[in-house]
Amino acid sequence: MMIELKHTVPVKELLSIPFSKTEETSFFLVDIKSYLEDLKREIKLYENNEDWHKDHITSVWASTNPEEALKQMKNFQSEYGLIMLGDGMDPECYLHTLTKTEMQAMAELKPWELDSKASEYCAKLAKICLDNADSDCVDVQEAMPSKYSPSVLKSDIQLDLC
């Protein structure tokens, strides 16, 4: 599976915007090419019954499933993505394309749909993102980049291996 990734946001500008301070949502900025490599690497580790301590991928209250995440990534087009991880026992955990349309849609959600501080952060991102890729959103609860993953450009929490 070959995905053509598009440049939708200047990475320096992206990394310069501070995450909103919130207890309800955690943020991860992810290099998608590196994340895809991590998923493929994890699949090989599992196929070869290699030591899970080498993993770059973990899960949030679910079994780790890099194969399913890789399948879901087939329409993902932006070279960087935003993972928003909700708080709680069964948190929502989605990887969003960094496009103007996707970030604007997140910014316009009601407070009961998305934490208002997370919406504010998305509004800031919408201002610097282009709309040259399709918007997409992928559930990555079963394939989150761990603190050992080189795909994480910036995050406000670190996930260890489960």
Side-chain angles (χ1 to χ4, degrees), residues 78-131:
S78 66
E79 68 181 331
Y80 302 107
L82 171 66
I83 296 174
M84 289 191 282
L85 171 63
D87 190 31
M89 288 299 287
D90 189 20
E92 289 190 354
C93 185
Y94 291 98
L95 171 60
H96 299 268
T97 51
L98 282 172
T99 60
K100 185 177 222 49
T101 299
E102 183 69 13
M103 291 298 99
Q104 192 62 46
M106 294 294 98
E108 293 172 2
L109 290 175
K110 304 294 183 212
W112 60 88
E113 296 171 303
L114 181 64
D115 169 28
S116 61
K117 295 287 186 185
S119 290
E120 287 174 18
Y121 179 65
C122 291
K124 291 175 186 174
L125 295 181
K127 291 177 183 175
I128 65 167
C129 290
L130 302 174
D131 247 352

Side-chain angles (χ1 to χ4, degrees), residues 23-41:
E23 303 220 353
E24 295 178 35
T25 307
S26 297
F27 305 99
F28 295 78
L29 292 172
V30 179
D31 178 300
I32 299 303
K33 182 179 178 189
S34 182
Y35 178 67
L36 293 170
E37 289 170 4
D38 276 349
L39 292 174
K40 292 172 188 171
R41 179 182 176 278

Side-chain angles (χ1 to χ4, degrees), residues 28 58-64 85-86 88-93 140-144 157 159 162:
F28 295 78
T58 191
S59 62
V60 182
W61 296 107
S63 298
T64 304
L85 171 63
M89 288 299 287
D90 189 20
E92 289 190 354
C93 185
V140 292
Q141 188 178 30
E142 297 178 334
M144 281 292 293
I157 65 166
L159 296 179
C162 297

Side-chain angles (χ1 to χ4, degrees), residues 37-49 65-68 70:
E37 289 170 4
D38 276 349
L39 292 174
K40 292 172 188 171
R41 179 182 176 278
E42 297 304 299
I43 292 167
K44 282 203 186 326
L45 284 175
Y46 291 139
E47 287 171 352
N48 297 332
N49 289 322
N65 190 344
E67 295 94 346
E68 185 58 32
L70 192 58

